[in-house]
Amino acid sequence: DTSMTVTVIGLGPMGRAMAGAYLDRGYEVTVWNRTPARADSLIARGAHRATSVAEALTANTLVVVSLTGYDAVHAVLGQAPSAALTGRTVVNLTSDTQDQVRRAATWLAELGAVQVTGGVLTPPPGIGTPGAMSYYSGPLEAIETHRRALEVLTGIDYLGEDPGLAALFYQIGIDMFWTGLLAYLHGQALAEANGISAQEFLPRALNAMDLRYFLEFYAPRIDAGNHAGDVDTLTMGAASLEHVVRTAQASGVDVSLPTAALDLFRRGIAAGHGGNSLTSLLGILRKGVG
Ligand code: NDP
């Protein structure tokens, strides 16, 4: 599809960045947002303001949706008569669980619309910049049809036909993102409690967060079911985490994060994996048992 027209529904920071990227590329952009004032700066730049969801949907075949979650998706799309959705390609870049995403895809399909699911892997300032990526899943044909328009926003990492896949991979990534950033923040709290500034700590933090070697080491062993303790053991890890908890205590820093990690190691040891590798904790993480 070479027509450079698109509707953007949902003008939070992400939706505004997306509508802005389309305007930058010369697209004709129609926008709708529950709080109309959020569209003002885009209207000033030449976007059309839809006064209803139905008007926004019927304006263009390609509809990009960026809302807080799928409750909002249903609250918004449900405002239009279902005929307004027929024939639309709804590129839903709203975050939610894979089940919610699949249900919405089925609902839209019943109305004669196609949902393309996306999970955006960049903050709003990254939209429209080289290197930005999103996970996509859903009908490949629809993605190919609108590839040019999608790539105005970010690159495409296509995961497969199942609409839930983009949501699943996105949530897994966000799981790691928040716990990983909290690990950084906890390290910085320890540094700060000992008079070390964030800037001074930064090169060491970058080094500590660079886990590539370990991921590449463990992934094939996990797939092979090899949790041998030839390089690391849970017993060693627990002793090491006890030192961390004591260091945090002595520094007056909250211990909930390393304590949660230590608790997982202890559960692994109690389940008989003391002599096995960190990866033997997967059994505990998957089922809550050893
Ligand atoms: P926001 O939550 O700030 O934006 C939410 C949008 O949803 C607003 O337009 C808001 O309308 C609308 N909305 C929420 N609830 C309702 C409702 N019940 N009825 C109608 N409209 C509703 O999110 P962002 O713009 O930051 O992000 C959008 C999506 O992109 C989210 O799913 C987010 O997880 C994802 N994402 C965000 C990133 C980021 O860094 N911001 C990064 C990657 C993904 P109103 O203006 O009226 O409140």
Side-chain angles (χ1 to χ4, degrees), residues 229-253:
D230 52 335
V231 171
D232 70 294
T233 65
L234 291 186
T235 305
M236 175 279 283
S240 145
L241 273 164
E242 277 164 21
H243 305 156
V244 174
V245 170
R246 266 186 256 139
T247 303
Q249 265 160 351
S251 304
V253 166

Side-chain angles (χ1 to χ4, degrees), residues 10-14 33-35 38 66-68 72 76 93-95 120 122-124 170:
L11 301 174
M14 189 54 93
N33 193 57
R34 176 180 61 181
T35 309
R38 284 198 160 166
S66 175
L67 296 163
T68 306
V76 170
L93 304 177
T94 303
S95 158
V120 179
T122 179
Y170 178 80

Side-chain angles (χ1 to χ4, degrees), residues 70-263:
Y70 272 62
D71 285 349
V73 168
H74 290 290
V76 170
L77 297 185
Q79 288 174 31
S82 54
L85 281 159
T86 306
R88 305 302 107 178
T89 297
V90 176
V91 177
N92 208 332
L93 304 177
T94 303
S95 158
D96 216 312
T97 63
Q98 47 179 335
D99 289 348
Q100 284 273 34
V101 168
R102 287 191 189 110
R103 269 199 292 275
T106 304
W107 171 65
L108 286 169
E110 283 165 7
L111 300 178
V114 172
Q115 174 169 280
V116 166
T117 309
V120 179
L121 302 175
T122 179
I127 296 297
T129 66
M133 288 299 293
S134 300
Y135 292 134
Y136 276 99
S137 66
L140 185 57
E141 195 190 332
I143 289 170
E144 289 305 342
T145 302
H146 297 288
R147 174 172 285 277
R148 248 173 54 126
L150 297 182
E151 285 181 343
V152 167
L153 306 178
T154 68
I156 296 172
D157 183 358
Y158 180 68
L159 299 166
E161 295 276 328
D162 171 1
L165 281 174
L168 173 64
F169 274 74
Y170 178 80
Q171 297 310 338
I172 293 172
I174 293 293
D175 175 0
M176 296 170 67
F177 178 76
W178 286 125
T179 51
L181 272 186
L182 273 172
Y184 161 64
L185 214 60
H186 193 267
Q188 178 53 35
L190 260 173
E192 220 166 83
N194 291 279
I196 301 159
S197 76
Q199 281 296 347
E200 187 185 351
F201 180 52
L202 179 60
R204 287 84 184 190
L206 286 170
N207 199 36
M209 295 296 293
D210 181 6
L211 300 173
R212 172 178 287 269
Y213 168 85
F214 298 94
L215 270 60
E216 289 177 346
F217 173 74
Y218 284 128
R221 290 168 64 115
I222 291 169
D223 281 346
N226 174 10
H227 305 294
D230 52 335
V231 171
D232 70 294
T233 65
L234 291 186
T235 305
M236 175 279 283
S240 145
L241 273 164
E242 277 164 21
H243 305 156
V244 174
V245 170
R246 266 186 256 139
T247 303
Q249 265 160 351
S251 304
V253 166
D254 185 277
V255 295
S256 57
L257 215 54
T259 301
L262 178 56
D263 176 60

